Each structure stands twice: as structure tokens, then as C-alpha cells.
């Protein structure tokens, strides 16, 4: 009818409901990749707190709440959208996908160890955990770009 509707979440969802499943798949994939980009940025920004302004083997406490919230949000979005995409693909995956999942668990585990509060973990251990999480993330991205064939 010629009216331009404002862009709201409800309008987008109403539009997607009328379209084939492909557009929803694309939207979820964009959210998945965007949240992964936010995770990479937050991982690097939060990693700087292990090298600048450390206090008593603890990361720099400035902006800790913001970093934790963004990291949790991005990890949650990556997980939820990843499971959604997996379900949309009817759980049909390539062999390298299992390596990606294992590395994602390594990433989460090392981030938990790196940023756990308390005096039992030294700064050197925290930095090692950060290095392991960065290595896992780089390997995940490598799997996605290369898509290796294991046969």
C-alpha cells in the first residue's frame, strides 16, 4: 500500500514468517557471525586486562562488569544460534565440525580458568589460559575458513 513500516524486531519477524526458511537461516547466520565478531573483540579487550593494570595476580578491575556481560552475551548468542543452525541443517555436519565443537569447549574452559576470581590462580596461569583460549579461537576460525577434508 506504499507505506514504509519502521524497522522493528516485530516487523522483521513478521516479514520472515511470510518468507521461505532460507531468509531465517541467513538472519540466524548473520547473528551468529556478528556475535562471534563481538566475542573476538571482547576476548582481545579483556585479554589486555591481564597485561595492563594488574593487581595482586588479578586482572585489571576497570570495566570488568561490561567485559563480563558482553562476553557472556556473545558466548550465549554463539551457542544458541549455532544450535539453531545445526537444527535447521537437520544435524547433518562435516567431519571438521566435531573438532570445532571440541575447540569451542576448550575455549570456554580456558576462559573460565583465566578469569576465575580468587588468589589460587597466578597471573602466569591466567596468561597461559588466555593464550590457550586465543589458540583455540584461531584454530576454530581456521577450521571454518579451510574446511579440511578428513578421509
Amino acid at each position: 500500500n506504499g507505506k514504509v513500516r519502521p524497522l522493528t524486531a516485530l516487523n522483521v519477524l513478521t516479514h520472515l514468517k511470510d518468507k521461505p526458511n532460507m531468509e531465517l537461516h541467513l538472519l540466524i547466520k548473520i547473528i551468529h557471525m556478528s556475535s562471534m565478531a563481538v566475542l573476538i573483540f571482547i576476548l582481545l579487550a579483556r585479554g589486555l586486562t591481564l597485561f595492563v593494570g594488574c593487581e595482586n595476580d588479578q586482572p585489571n578491575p576497570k570495566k570488568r562488569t561490561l567485559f563480563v556481560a558482553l562476553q557472556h552475551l556473545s558466548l550465549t548468542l554463539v551457542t544458541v544460534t549455532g544450535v539453531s543452525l545445526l537444527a535447521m541443517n537437520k544435524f547433518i555436519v562435516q567431519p571438521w565440525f566435531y573438532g570445532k565443537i571440541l575447540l569451542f569447549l576448550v575455549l570456554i574452559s580456558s576462559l573460565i580458568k583465566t578469569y576465575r576470581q580468587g588468589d589460587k590462580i597466578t597471573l602466569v596461569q591466567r596468561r597461559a589460559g588466555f593464550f590457550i583460549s586465543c589458540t583455540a579461537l584461531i584454530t576454530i576460525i581456521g577450521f571454518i575458513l579451510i574446511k579440511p577434508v578428513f578421509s
Side-chain angles (χ1 to χ4, degrees), residues 22-113:
M22 220 39 208
E23 287 188 12
L24 180 61
H25 188 274
L26 180 62
L27 177 67
I28 292 174
K29 199 170 192 174
I30 289 171
I31 293 170
H32 186 74
M33 290 185 297
S34 300
S35 56
M36 198 66 192
V38 170
L39 177 63
I40 292 168
F41 174 76
I42 289 301
L43 183 72
L44 295 176
R46 199 162 181 211
L48 286 176
T49 65
L50 294 170
F51 298 96
V52 179
C54 300
E55 299 172 2
N56 301 329
D57 281 345
Q58 294 290 318
N60 189 341
K62 294 179 181 176
K63 300 199 183 213
R64 180 185 182 282
T65 307
L66 176 66
F67 287 157
V68 170
L70 285 174
Q71 182 175 322
H72 286 182
L73 175 67
S74 60
L75 282 169
T76 302
L77 279 174
V78 166
T79 304
V80 169
T81 56
V83 170
S84 299
L85 289 168
L86 187 61
M88 288 176 123
N89 289 335
K90 297 181 174 105
F91 297 94
I92 300 170
V93 295
Q94 300 295 323
W96 55 267
F97 176 79
Y98 300 109
K100 190 169 86 165
I101 294 300
L102 287 173
L103 286 168
F104 187 72
L105 294 175
V106 168
L107 172 71
I108 291 174
S109 173
S110 64
L111 287 174
I112 290 170
K113 178 79 171 178

Side-chain angles (χ1 to χ4, degrees), residues 115-128:
Y115 296 109
R116 179 177 290 148
Q117 289 185 335
D119 297 333
K120 292 182 179 179
I121 304 170
T122 66
L123 193 57
V124 172
Q125 290 173 318
R126 292 179 190 280
R127 289 177 179 167

